[in-house]
Amino acid sequence: MATHSWKFFRAGGFDQVKLESGADLLSLDQLDQKLWVALACPTTGIVFDPQTLALIDTDKDGRIRAPELITACRWAGGLLRNADDLLQSSPTLPLAAINDATPEGKALLSSARQILSNLGKKDASAIGLEELANTSTIFAQTLFNGDGIVPVEAAGDPATQAVITDVIACFGSVPDRSGKPGINTDLTTKFFAELTALDGWHKKAVADAATITPLGTDTAAAAAVRAVKTKVDDYFGRCRLVAYDPRALTGANREEKEYLAIGAKDLSLTATEIAGFPLTQIAAGRPLALKAGINPAWADAVAKLNAVAIQPIVGERENLTEGDWAMVTAKLGPYEGWNAAKAGAGVEKLGLARVREILGSKALEQVTALIAQDKALESESNAIGTVEKLIRYHRDLYRLCINFVNFKDLYDGGDPAIFQVGTLYLDQRSCSLCIAVEDAGRHATMAGLAGAYLAYVDCIRKGTGEKMSIVAVFSQGDDDNLMVGRNGLFYDRKGKDYDATITKILSNPISMRQAFWSPYKKFVRMIEEQVSKRAAAADAVATDQLTAAANAAANADKTVTEKAAADKATADKLAADKAKAADAKKIDVGMVAALSVAFGSIGTALAYVLGLFKDVTPIQVVLGICGLIAVISGPSMILAFIKLRKRNLGPILDANGWAVNSKAKINVPFGTTLTGIATLPPGSVVDSTDSFADRVFPWKKWAVVLVLVYLGFNWFAGNFDMWLPFKLDSISVLGEHATESAKTKADVRAKTKSDRIVAAAAAAKAANPPEKPADSPK
């Protein structure tokens, strides 16, 4: 049953647990996981020490899950005297903070002190990761360190040192914790097994010497046979083929054209060009000549075969028959089989004498004892890993909790959250909510449900070739200048800068300001598009006319006949132009009449509109303008308001491998903290003179003038007299020059004021009736 009392804070539109003490961390197993902000996160793509994450990720699946975090908190808290120390996130661990009341804590404290002692810091009161950064330094002065690996120096006598050196020479070494090369049980076992195998292989040859080594220890005969066996077998095979069918003789001896091809070249003494030809001329039943007529490429090999193998086995021969060859190969067959079964090749370079010397000594027992002596210290040495683990948890565990159990780092405006990999500067904005992604297309499928404006950006440092892809959340400003291909600059959490280019955009409302101006911007864009289309059409017509004029000028040098025809065509054209001009005059009259009617209609409409404003008060005008703005901008603002309230960080992180357990909203106030807009520093002085500014219509000045004219007209008409003091109303200022309308309104105002004064006096009298004299009759 849950006994721990929890506190919560509200951020992002939901309640999040406060982690204010070590007791809170130790009691995470009692917190309902429905109240956790996240239930899992990946070990990659976040700004967090990967080695610490690897220690917490006990099943090595690349994800940190809630049970693993609970286990890490309970283990670290149990090894500290005060679990509140975890909230300090200190990179150094005081020795006094280790709880030595438990066997594990006692061993850990002892190991920490041993490490400091080995480093010459015996009196140090705290230990940090820098002391554990180089394990070889810690064990530099120790021969035995519990890793089961013994270097040459670990042996006390020269004979054992020599054996260890032989093992390393034959099979290499493995580094021990001090960084020195050494040997372990596997290398030792393999070495002595090879020694025994090589010794046994040689003993087998000695035991059956008459069969295996018929020529004694001289193995040159076997090597000589092995060198030419394929060619000799080939020779006798070809002779049998010719004996079977004489027609094969030409092909067996190679055709003449092949000799012609190599005859055109300069041949070497060894005649390697004909090494593929038969050993000698092929004929049915012919024995192999051993001295004369041998293929030059094989002459030396055959001579050696005759000297070291054929003569010792079958005697002196001028020619070798197929039967003699079978006798030679049969005699040397057992040796070949024995040689093919060679064992212990890995230690053969030591020589048989050295092999038997080592086997005859007690080297195996001595090396085995050294390894056992080293492994006896394994538990103490392995505690070094435990010390490092506790130091890392002491420094990192609380920070992971406030980015996992709650999102304190994200919402408190302090340090960035661990999933915020840097800041993107683009379009006069800075986006701090940038998250690393591996596959933008796959990520966008889920992240699109977040309802935020997302820009996928490729970042590269061309100097070093470093690359990364991010998704940036734009939560202030507008999207007028945000498009695929825009370039910016990205700074990661270490301050390294990357060239950044937008590659993909998921468009959603960014701000209410954008929603307000959106209809007007669309209207302006529509006008610009229409003007551009009409300008393009007019340009095309002008181009066609210029082309026609150029063609006419090019044809001016035609022949006389052609010129006459052209003159006639010109005359016809002039006549047509005159007729067209007459029609144009008619059209112009009609156009003038039409324009007159149009302007008359516009004037009538304006007069009507002005007439409507004649009796309209300024308040009604303001309300009318506000109503018009509401009609135009209202729908887009309402839609944007709904969408901005639904922006959610969860899908963006879920697409990256997180398991976000709640709606981490990005509302408008919070969004303004995630995206900064360029502003001038306080105290800045701006010179507004721009020599290259475009000349624009001074609409602001005209707007001010029109407003002043409108206000003056209404004051002259007495429309403001109801709200102005008597000294400032139009009647008091203008007197008899005031308009009749103003005088009428003044009369109404005066009457209204008089009525109000009378009513106020009556009300006051009723509220406070006069007291009767004391001697008045009852």
Side-chain angles (χ1 to χ4, degrees):
M1 185 175 179
T3 58
H4 188 73
S5 178
W6 299 98
K7 297 179 181 179
F8 291 84
F9 67 97
R10 191 162 187 82
F14 64 102
D15 294 327
Q16 303 182 43
V17 68
K18 286 186 177 182
L19 300 176
E20 299 178 322
S21 66
D24 291 336
L25 299 182
L26 293 178
S27 303
L28 283 177
D29 58 334
Q30 300 179 27
L31 178 64
D32 188 348
Q33 291 187 13
K34 293 190 293 294
L35 298 174
W36 288 45
V37 174
L39 297 175
C41 76
T43 57
T44 57
I46 59 177
V47 184
F48 203 86
D49 192 313
Q51 296 183 36
T52 303
L53 293 175
L55 292 172
I56 300 174
D57 181 20
T58 53
D59 58 4
K60 307 305 176 186
D61 64 348
R63 291 172 61 78
I64 304 298
R65 296 173 293 104
E68 292 173 322
L69 186 58
I70 291 172
T71 301
C73 289
R74 295 191 68 83
W75 180 84
L79 287 174
L80 296 174
R81 293 181 184 274
N82 186 354
D84 289 347
D85 291 347
L86 293 174
L87 275 66
Q88 305 302 318
S89 298
S90 174
T92 59
L93 175 65
L95 299 183
I98 300 175
N99 180 16
D100 58 355
T102 64
E104 185 179 7
K106 187 176 183 179
L108 191 148
L109 179 60
S110 174
S111 180
R113 286 173 174 164
Q114 183 63 46
I115 293 170
L116 293 171
S117 177
N118 289 350
L119 295 173
K121 300 179 180 181
K122 185 177 181 180
D123 297 329
S125 60
I127 186 171
L129 290 178
E130 61 273 11
E131 281 82 17
L132 300 174
N134 190 352
T135 308
S136 61
T137 304
I138 299 174
F139 295 103
Q141 306 302 322
T142 60
L143 295 176
F144 300 100
N145 45 46
D147 59 0
I149 300 172
V150 291
V152 176
E153 296 83 350
D157 60 291
T160 307
Q161 290 180 350
V163 172
I164 295 175
T165 302
D166 288 339
V167 175
I168 294 174
C170 293
F171 298 109
S173 64
V174 289
D176 79 339
R177 282 174 171 161
S178 67
K180 300 174 183 178
I183 63 174
N184 55 14
T185 300
D186 292 340
L187 290 178
T188 302
T189 302
K190 184 177 181 179
F191 177 74
F192 281 94
E194 289 283 287
L195 293 178
T196 303
L198 184 63
D199 180 51
W201 181 68
H202 279 286
K203 287 180 178 179
K204 183 177 181 181
V206 173
D208 195 7
T211 301
I212 295 175
T213 55
L215 302 180
T217 58
D218 186 6
T219 60
V225 170
R226 197 179 305 117
V228 298
K229 186 176 186 304
T230 300
K231 295 299 291 186
V232 174
D233 290 343
D234 172 75
Y235 172 80
F236 286 118
R238 289 172 183 267
C239 290
R240 288 196 300 272
L241 178 62
V242 173
Y244 166 72
D245 189 345
R247 293 178 296 178
L249 180 62
T250 301
N253 281 307
R254 296 296 179 93
E255 297 183 6
E256 182 179 359
K257 63 182 180 180
E258 296 185 61
Y259 287 96
L260 293 175
I262 66 172
K265 304 177 183 178
D266 292 331
L267 300 180
S268 62
L269 291 175
T270 56
T272 55
E273 294 83 358
I274 59 173
F277 287 21
L279 283 177
T280 186
Q281 287 294 309
I282 304 299
R286 174 182 291 180
L288 175 65
L290 296 176
K291 297 181 179 179
I294 301 297
N295 185 329
W298 293 94
D300 292 342
V302 172
K304 185 175 183 180
L305 172 71
N306 186 30
V308 301
I310 295 175
Q311 289 183 11
I313 295 177
V314 298
E316 183 69 26
R317 293 283 192 278
E318 293 289 330
N319 300 299
L320 181 68
T321 65
E322 190 171 1
D324 291 339
W325 177 243
M327 182 184 299
V328 171
T329 55
K331 192 74 172 177
L332 296 175
Y335 175 83
E336 287 295 323
W338 172 77
N339 190 61
K342 179 185 288 187
V347 296
E348 188 176 14
K349 63 182 178 182
L350 297 178
L352 185 59
R354 175 58 178 163
V355 168
R356 288 176 173 169
E357 178 187 357
I358 294 174
L359 290 175
S361 68
K362 295 183 178 180
L364 176 60
E365 293 83 352
Q366 292 169 343
V367 173
T368 302
L370 288 174
I371 295 174
Q373 183 180 352
D374 186 90
K375 287 187 71 66
L377 301 174
E378 182 177 11
S379 58
E380 294 181 13
S381 298
N382 285 347
I384 294 174
T386 307
V387 173
E388 179 182 1
K389 181 178 178 181
L390 183 58
I391 294 173
R392 290 186 176 278
Y393 283 11
H394 185 261
R395 182 193 66 182
D396 299 334
L397 199 57
Y398 176 66
R399 180 164 171 257
L400 180 60
C401 288
I402 59 176
N403 285 273
F404 191 109
V405 184
N406 62 34
F407 275 180
K408 179 179 179 293
D409 272 356
L410 176 65
Y411 288 106
D412 69 355
D415 292 334
I418 60 176
F419 47 77
Q420 293 177 266
V421 295
T423 303
L424 174 67
Y425 288 83
L426 192 148
D427 190 35
Q428 291 194 316
R429 276 173 283 188
S430 63
C431 299
S432 61
L433 185 52
C434 298
I435 301 170
V437 297
E438 294 182 0
D439 185 340
R442 183 172 58 84
H443 186 275
T445 303
M446 180 67 184
L449 302 176
Y453 190 98
L454 305 178
Y456 290 88
V457 182
D458 283 347
C459 306
I460 181 171
R461 302 193 79 202
K462 294 183 179 179
T464 61
E466 297 175 75
K467 296 181 179 179
M468 67 184 304
S469 295
I470 63 169
V471 57
V473 178
F474 283 82
S475 53
Q476 266 207 100
D478 52 47
D479 61 352
D480 291 349
N481 293 316
L482 295 177
M483 61 200 75
V484 173
R486 281 297 306 273
N487 293 324
L489 197 61
F490 175 75
Y491 292 91
D492 67 13
R493 294 275 289 274
K494 294 180 180 179
K496 294 191 294 184
D497 57 284
Y498 296 74
D499 291 326
T501 304
I502 296 178
T503 58
K504 182 183 180 69
I505 287 176
L506 293 184
S507 183
N508 279 296
I510 297 179
S511 64
M512 295 299 292
R513 183 180 71 177
Q514 175 200 23
F516 177 83
W517 291 109
S518 178
Y520 307 101
K521 291 179 179 179
K522 290 180 180 178
F523 179 70
V524 171
R525 282 195 294 268
M526 181 186 70
I527 293 176
E528 290 175 347
E529 291 173 359
Q530 293 299 321
V531 171
S532 297
K533 289 179 182 179
R534 293 182 180 276
D539 182 66
V541 172
T543 302
D544 292 341
Q545 291 175 349
L546 289 174
T547 302
N551 290 335
N555 295 328
D557 58 347
K558 291 183 178 180
T559 61
V560 176
T561 304
E562 292 173 339
K563 188 170 184 290
D567 290 341
K568 183 179 181 304
T570 302
D572 293 342
K573 187 175 185 300
L574 288 173
D577 289 342
K578 289 181 180 179
K580 191 179 295 184
D583 293 339
K585 291 181 180 178
K586 297 178 182 179
I587 295 174
D588 289 342
V589 174
M591 288 293 292
V592 171
L595 290 173
S596 299
V597 173
F599 282 119
S601 300
I602 293 173
T604 303
L606 289 175
Y608 176 73
V609 172
L610 292 175
L612 292 178
F613 280 96
K614 180 179 179 182
D615 295 323
V616 176
T617 65
I619 297 299
Q620 291 174 324
V621 173
V622 173
L623 292 176
I625 294 174
C626 293
L628 181 61
I629 293 174
V631 170
I632 297 174
S633 300
S636 63
M637 293 184 68
I638 293 172
L639 182 61
F641 177 76
I642 294 173
K643 288 188 175 182
L644 290 175
R645 289 183 67 252
K646 291 183 177 180
R647 286 189 304 191
N648 183 7
L649 180 61
I652 302 175
L653 292 178
D654 283 346
N656 233 22
W658 285 70
V660 178
N661 196 33
S662 58
K663 293 181 179 180
K665 292 184 178 180
I666 309 175
N667 57 17
V668 174
F670 181 52
T672 58
T673 66
L674 299 176
T675 300
I677 297 179
T679 57
L680 297 180
S684 299
V685 178
V686 180
D687 184 358
S688 59
T689 303
D690 187 353
S691 302
F692 303 98
D694 294 329
R695 297 186 63 183
V696 296
F697 180 77
W699 62 270
K700 293 183 179 178
K701 295 181 180 178
W702 279 104
V704 172
V705 170
L706 291 175
V707 170
L708 292 176
V709 170
Y710 175 76
L711 294 176
F713 173 78
N714 280 275
W715 176 82
F716 186 77
N719 293 335
F720 294 153
D721 288 352
M722 294 291 291
W723 296 279
L724 294 174
F726 285 106
K727 292 182 180 181
L728 298 179
D729 62 17
S730 60
I731 297 297
S732 300
V733 175
L734 298 178
E736 61 181 8
H737 299 291
T739 63
E740 294 299 327
S741 174
K743 293 177 179 178
T744 302
K745 292 178 180 178
D747 293 339
V748 174
R749 179 187 180 193
K751 184 177 183 304
T752 303
K753 185 175 181 181
S754 176
D755 293 343
R756 289 180 179 175
I757 292 173
V758 172
K765 186 175 182 180
N768 301 294
E771 296 183 0
K772 294 180 180 181
D775 55 350
S776 59
K778 294 184 181 180

